[in-house]
Amino acid sequence: MEEMEEELKCPVCGSFYREPIILPCSHNLCQACARNILVQTPESESPQSRRASGSAVSDYDYLDLDKMSLYSEADSGYGSYGGFASAPTTPCQKSPNGVRVFPPAMPPPATHLSPALAPVPRNSCITCPQCHRSLILDDRGLRGFPKNRVLEGVIDRYQQSKAAALKCQLCEKAPKEATVMCEQCDVFYCDPCRLRCHPPRGPLAKHRLVPPAQGRVSRRLSPRKVSTCTDHELENHSMYCVQCKMPVCYQCLEEGKHSSHEVKALGAMWKLHKSQLSQALNGLSDRAKEAKEFLVQLRNMVQQIQENSVEFEACLVAQCDALIDALNRRKAQLLARVNKEHEHKLKVVRDQISHCTVKLRQTTGLMEYCLEVIKENDPSGFLQISDALIRRVHLTEDQWGKGTLTPRMTTDFDLSLDNSPLLQSIHQLDFVQMKASSPVPATPILQLEECCTHNNSATLSWKQPPLSTVPAEGYILELDDGSGGQFREVYVGKETMCTVDGLHFNSTYNARVKAFNKTGVSLYSKTLVLQTSEVAWFAFDPGSAHSDIIFSNDNLTVTCSSYDDRVVLGKTGFSKGVHYWELTVDRYDNHPDPAFGVARIDVMKDVMLGKDDKAWAMYVDNNRSWFMHNNSHTNRTEGGITKGATIGVLLDLNRKTLTFFINDEQQGPIAFENVEGLFFPAVSLNRNVQVTLHTGLPVPDFYSSRASIA
């Protein structure tokens, strides 16, 4: 609606049309504004003089009079009538809408008549302010132009729709909101003005007062003004002249100039022209929609050009600075690499110090305890615990086996600097070569700040060089096997980011990426070195657990709401390597049989772990334990659990074995052998048990020493 407002304003005064008339060029003017821009022409060019000289002009030949434009070819803002040597030039002005208009050559004569009825000077000419077509008025003057009743109605509806609330029409200063409308007076009143100006007595008592909203509707529904003929003011338009393209009255057909013209019914032509206008508007609407979309496209192009320009300049400056500061930047990068190696070596040594300190504290405590036991003078009491102590001493001694007291890290920095490829690239860098198109895409750039590892997963991100002009259709990401072996493809597609799961823990991988299109593939990017976690950090998985499982402590602690056994899995699966985790028993009531072990992702969740062929487990009570797989019970072993007990699970996929521990003591022999595939940590329990998971633990030292000996 607001966009339509400019169509409803006069090009001369800039306000809404008042009593608009239609010019032959189909533009509109206020009747008062049309009178203001009339210009008087020389007598020799009047219609009467033309008829007298034999050069009569049809009443509709004014459409050709735009050749007599008041503008000069240079459009200097001044004009004169073409061919009128005696006519003075008249300065042009601009209306509030920015349209050039021409003021009258002389002030109109004073008259007591209204502007609509006052006579116009003889031989007057009017020029449309929008298309600049000129017309010499006949004897009827401005009355010869039809009034645009439709435009008046549109303006009235528009102004009514713009009014937020109907205001009183009789308030002297700030109009108050109207409360009633008098249908006979056609005036909106507020309560004070109604009591003062429209009392409910006397002749006004019979007037009908209605609410303002109803009054507005009654105004809209009131009979509209009927358009009358400009030649016969007492006659209404009843027919339409096809040749002159204008409404006419009955008298025009009987005795006027339209008597020999083809005419049609006014209502039929009204409907026909409405249909034609609607069809034309549909086409114009499509063009307007296309124009809006095109403008959006152009604005986006402007923004894109600005962004590309900034990025291009930034990249160019960065590359030029790189040529100047190549040595300094390489120095900083190499120093960072040395610092990283330094921190890594310190971390390894400090971790070994911490681990050795803990083991030494445990060993010292055991030694002191044993010395106190040796002092025991009661033979029977000593013999009751001596066997267990001897086993513990031997087991602790085994933990200090080969390799335990050997440094895991050397003090030397095994790094070598090879700067020849980089220097060669800097020397070959050429701006012209960079700008020239290449048949294959440019080499992708790995975005180091977005590349990372988590547990046994690696996320890599890359992009095309900013100055590349050859688009890439896709990318190929390659990783080696984590042991310095051959590269293999792990991703092919259009994305510029990829997460690779299922890598080995405590392994170093090399990654690289290349781009391709229909022509071929680019060179490989620089190789990125990725280090997976030394040990696995994980929690229980609520997404795959039975609905009776209750989680807490960031999904590290679980219990159950049912008396029946329910299964819950860990979030991380293992297919290679050696992995160890522990579970502590936080609550143990009524001697239940919780089970601990590993399982496939599709294990049964509503029975004890190990009842089907998808799980390998040890279930245990307060006195003994059993190993169970596919509902087969084996290796009954004495020794159970109580509140506070710790259960360890050791999954060695290198040797394909599964071993269990209770309170740091191996429970029975190796539980299962020849285990292969993808395994998830698993627990089954009921409401009488609550356990907490502990991950990120290194493999027990005594097991590592045994594995190295084997």
Side-chain angles (χ1 to χ4, degrees), residues 504-505 573-581 598 600 650-659 674-680 703:
H504 302 329
F505 285 88
F574 305 109
S575 59
K576 291 183 180 180
V578 183
H579 308 282
Y580 178 75
W581 62 94
V598 296
R600 308 290 191 195
L650 179 61
L651 177 63
D652 187 347
L653 292 172
N654 296 336
R655 302 171 64 182
K656 303 179 182 178
T657 61
L658 179 63
T659 308
N674 299 320
V675 290
E676 293 181 284
L678 179 63
F679 299 96
F680 290 82
Y703 185 82

Side-chain angles (χ1 to χ4, degrees), residues 111-153:
T111 177
H112 297 288
L113 299 176
S114 65
L117 300 178
V120 300
R122 294 186 59 190
N123 308 327
S124 295
C125 174
I126 187 171
T127 300
C128 176
Q130 292 181 287
C131 66
H132 311 305
R133 291 187 176 181
S134 301
L135 169 68
I136 298 177
L137 275 63
D138 57 15
D139 294 337
R140 295 175 297 172
L142 295 179
R143 291 187 295 105
F145 299 119
K147 294 183 179 180
N148 197 337
R149 302 296 186 186
V150 175
L151 181 57
E152 280 188 301

Side-chain angles (χ1 to χ4, degrees), residues 249-456:
C249 67
Y250 177 78
Q251 194 170 349
C252 290
L253 299 180
E254 292 293 330
E255 57 187 31
K257 56 188 176 184
H258 305 282
S259 57
S260 60
H261 295 173
E262 179 185 0
V263 295
K264 290 187 178 180
L266 189 65
M269 293 304 296
W270 172 61
K271 293 181 180 179
L272 176 62
H273 282 205
K274 270 196 172 183
S275 175
Q276 293 175 350
L277 180 59
S278 298
Q279 294 177 0
L281 279 177
N282 290 334
L284 185 60
S285 175
D286 294 338
R287 300 291 84 77
K289 182 178 179 182
E290 293 175 1
K292 289 182 179 179
E293 295 174 352
F294 181 63
L295 284 174
V296 172
Q297 179 182 354
L298 291 179
R299 292 190 181 101
N300 292 337
M301 288 181 62
V302 171
Q303 182 179 358
Q304 190 65 37
I305 290 173
Q306 293 175 344
E307 293 176 356
N308 290 343
S309 175
V310 172
E311 185 175 6
F312 184 89
E313 292 177 2
C315 292
L316 184 60
V317 171
Q319 290 188 346
C320 291
D321 291 342
L323 292 175
I324 300 172
D325 302 328
L327 183 60
N328 291 332
R329 289 189 294 106
R330 292 304 299 165
K331 177 182 176 181
Q333 293 174 1
L334 293 174
L335 286 175
R337 179 74 178 274
V338 172
N339 290 333
K340 183 178 180 181
E341 182 70 14
H342 167 246
E343 294 296 333
H344 175 67
K345 287 180 177 292
L346 288 180
K347 182 179 182 301
V348 172
V349 174
R350 287 168 179 168
D351 290 346
Q352 190 172 11
I353 291 173
S354 176
H355 181 72
C356 185
T357 301
V358 172
K359 288 295 183 183
L360 180 59
R361 187 182 300 112
Q362 294 175 351
T363 302
T364 304
L366 178 60
M367 291 173 59
E368 293 177 354
Y369 175 66
C370 291
L371 290 174
E372 292 297 324
V373 171
I374 290 174
K375 297 177 182 179
E376 178 62 43
N377 296 325
D378 183 9
S380 60
F382 177 82
L383 292 175
Q384 287 179 353
I385 63 174
S386 60
D387 288 337
L389 284 177
I390 292 171
R391 286 198 304 271
R392 286 190 62 186
V393 169
H394 285 307
L395 184 61
T396 303
E397 183 181 1
D398 291 340
Q399 294 178 1
W400 292 99
K402 183 179 179 181
T404 306
L405 301 178
T406 302
R408 299 178 185 175
M409 184 61 64
T410 64
T411 58
D412 297 331
F413 285 79
D414 299 327
L415 298 174
S416 60
L417 179 62
D418 182 12
N419 60 351
S420 56
L422 179 61
L423 291 176
Q424 183 179 3
S425 299
I426 293 176
H427 294 153
Q428 293 177 351
L429 186 62
D430 193 328
F431 186 80
V432 176
Q433 292 179 0
M434 291 169 60
K435 189 173 181 180
S437 298
S438 175
V440 297
T443 303
I445 300 174
L446 285 167
Q447 302 190 87
L448 303 181
E449 65 277 4
E450 297 183 15
C451 298
C452 61
T453 59
H454 176 71
N455 270 350
N456 61 336

